[in-house]
Structure formats: structure tokens, C-alpha cells
């Protein structure tokens, strides 16, 4: 099956700990995106990458970091500097040069205790 | 930054009725998309309409776009309980490197 996967589905961490969220795609898409969604809200862009070994900050990058060492993978680290990390995190990918349609993973719900 | 505003924020209808959701945006666009999100799940792409198109259909979905008013509407005809979800519009903000700008969403509840 082709698609985009995120793991784990639920994640609990203690305050002050860094945590890394996984995002993998086998769609051969060049571009990948990380969004944050708070209850009853739309999506806000954290980071995006249009090609391997390159990424750019989105609208709310503070307290987050990413890497893009492989085309298939775009992990997001939520650092202890992120003041309010409890949220639903969504990863997406897109084929560059085509329509702007993004394909989303199932999301990871992070709860910081 | 969020540029989309959707109206209404929540909509409750009976099965079989039509549901209309509206989206307004602020900047010029190349295209506008609508996505659906079931509770606690990822988003699923529904339909894309280009800036030079005024109306597009896909099954029970009808999307209109008025670039002079910077607005779009999504109509779901003959709604079903399975259509219960949140619906988001997203624009490309005019050549933003593939980035999408999402609205706040309309929460649709279809009662059987």
C-alpha cells in the first residue's frame, strides 16, 4: 500500500523532555510538511521540506526541529523549549511539479504531562 | 498565517438535506482546495478548483469560486450520516512553494 504513516498514534511525555514524532511516506514525494492542530482549530504549518537535506520554517517553528536526511522520512522533534506542546500533529507530503494536493498521515496526538 | 475564514463554524442538518459551507481568503491564489477530516484522523483531499474556474463538481460535491470576492463555497447534496466531519478550505497563497494556508474549518454534523 502506498501512503504516509505516522507513529505512534498517541504519545505521552513529561514536561521538559524532548520527543520525536515519526513520519514516513512511500509515495516518492519530494515535499513534506508538518502541521500542528489544536482543538477546534485549523492547521498551522511548523516546518516544510521541498527536497532532501533542505527544510524551511513555517509559521510556528519555535520550539521544534526537523531533519530530512532521506526522501521518505521527515521526523519532527518537539523540544523542551516549546511552551505548549500538547496538540495533534499531522504530517503531509506532496508531489512537486504537480497539483498542490497534499496527502496526510493519520496524525500523532502528543500529550505532555 | 491563517488567511482562511470559514462560515459557519458548525452546522447541524438532517440526513438528506444539503449542506453549504463558505470560505473566504485574503491573498491572490492559483487554486483553492477543500479537505475533510474525521474526528481524530488525518485530512483527506476532496476537490481542487483553479483560479480560472468558477464551478467544479465531484459526485455529491459542488464547489464554487469567486475570485473577485475572494470566496468559495462547498455544497454537499443529499447528505448522509457518514458525511459528519470537519471540512477545511486551503489556498496556495499564490506561489508559496507548495505551502497551503488552511481555514479554521466547519464542523458538519448530519443526523440520521
Amino acid at each position: 500500500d502506498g501512503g504516509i504513516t505516522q507513529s505512534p498514534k498517541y504519545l505521552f511525555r513529561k514536561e521538559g523532555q524532548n520527543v520525536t514524532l515519526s513520519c514516513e511516506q512511500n509515495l516518492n514525494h519530494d515535499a513534506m510538511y508538518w502541521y500542528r492542530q489544536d482543538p477546534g482549530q485549523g492547521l498551522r504549518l511548523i516546518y516544510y521540506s521541498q527536497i532532501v537535506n533542505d527544510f524551511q520554517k513555517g509559521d510556528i517553528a519555535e520550539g521544534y526541529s526537523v531533519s530530512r536526511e532521506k526522501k521518505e522520512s521527515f521526523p519532527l522533534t518537539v523540544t523542551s523549549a516549546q511552551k505548549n506542546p500538547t496538540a495533534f500533529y499531522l504530517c503531509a507530503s506532496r508531489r512537486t511539479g504537480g497539483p498542490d494536493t497534499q496527502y496526510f498521515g493519520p496524525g500523532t496526538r502528543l500529550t505532555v504531562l | 498565517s491563517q488567511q482562511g475564514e470559514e462560515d459557519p463554524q458548525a452546522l447541524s442538518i438532517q440526513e438528506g438535506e444539503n449542506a453549504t459551507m463558505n470560505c473566504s481568503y485574503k491573498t491572490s491564489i492559483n487554486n483553492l482546495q477543500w479537505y475533510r477530516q474525521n474526528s481524530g484522523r488525518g485530512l483527506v483531499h476532496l476537490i481542487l478548483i483553479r483560479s480560472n474556474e468558477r464551478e467544479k463538481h465531484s459526485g455529491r460535491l459542488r464547489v464554487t469560486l469567486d475570485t473577485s470576492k475572494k470566496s468559495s463555497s462547498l455544497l454537499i447534496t443529499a447528505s448522509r450520516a457518514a458525511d459528519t466531519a470537519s471540512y477545511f478550505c486551503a489556498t496556495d497563497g499564490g506561489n508559496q512553494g507548495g505551502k497551503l494556508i488552511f481555514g479554521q474549518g466547519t464542523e458538519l454534523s448530519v443526523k440520521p
Side-chain angles (χ1 to χ4, degrees):
Chain A
D1 286 337
I4 181 165
T5 58
Q6 293 183 243
S7 61
K9 187 170 178 62
Y10 299 96
L11 190 55
F12 297 88
R13 280 293 181 269
K14 292 183 179 178
E15 195 170 340
Q17 289 182 334
N18 291 357
V19 60
T20 297
L21 282 58
S22 167
C23 177
E24 304 278 333
Q25 54 98 2
N26 61 5
L27 299 168
N28 200 33
H29 288 172
D30 288 307
M32 297 186 74
Y33 306 82
W34 272 107
Y35 295 93
R36 170 184 173 134
Q37 186 179 32
D38 292 286
Q41 300 295 312
L43 279 64
R44 293 185 289 169
L45 183 65
I46 304 172
Y47 267 99
Y48 66 105
S49 168
Q50 298 191 72
I51 198 167
V52 175
N53 293 322
D54 187 44
F55 51 82
Q56 286 81 40
K57 293 182 179 179
D59 299 317
I60 56 165
E62 186 176 349
Y64 300 97
S65 66
V66 294
S67 64
R68 187 83 188 279
E69 296 176 1
K70 297 188 299 182
K71 188 176 186 177
E72 309 80 50
S73 178
F74 191 39
L76 173 74
T77 297
V78 184
T79 75
S80 57
Q82 168 51 232
K83 292 183 176 17
N84 185 18
T86 294
F88 189 51
Y89 290 88
L90 286 159
C91 180
S93 70
R94 181 182 71 91
R95 180 174 65 85
T96 54
D100 289 334
T101 303
Q102 292 187 11
Y103 295 83
F104 283 81
T108 292
R109 187 167 300 280
L110 172 64
T111 302
V112 175
L113 307 171
Chain B
S1 61
Q2 296 289 331
Q3 74 157 341
E5 292 186 5
E6 292 174 74
D7 167 51
Q9 289 188 336
L11 179 62
S12 182
I13 59 174
Q14 295 294 131
E15 212 166 22
E17 294 180 340
N18 295 343
T20 300
M21 290 159 267
N22 303 296
C23 166
S24 61
Y25 57 91
K26 296 176 182 173
T27 68
S28 62
I29 63 171
N30 295 311
N31 59 67
L32 183 145
Q33 303 177 56
W34 285 90
Y35 288 81
R36 165 194 170 125
Q37 183 183 35
N38 286 75
S39 181
R41 309 290 291 272
L43 277 69
V44 175
H45 177 257
L46 294 176
I47 195 165
L48 180 151
I49 186 165
R50 302 191 188 283
S51 60
N52 61 353
E53 297 176 309
R54 291 296 167 259
E55 188 171 311
K56 200 163 183 180
H57 297 254
S58 176
R60 292 184 297 112
L61 305 180
R62 173 181 168 245
V63 169
T64 63
L65 179 64
D66 187 335
T67 53
S68 66
K69 295 181 179 178
K70 291 187 168 57
S71 68
S72 174
S73 67
L74 171 67
L75 168 68
I76 304 175
T77 60
S79 63
R80 305 165 182 169
D83 293 328
T84 294
S86 292
Y87 292 83
F88 295 90
C89 68
T91 63
D92 65 343
N95 294 315
Q96 292 284 330
K99 292 190 298 180
L100 293 179
I101 306 169
F102 285 85
Q104 301 298 310
T106 292
E107 191 173 333
L108 174 66
S109 174
V110 182
K111 301 186 187 311

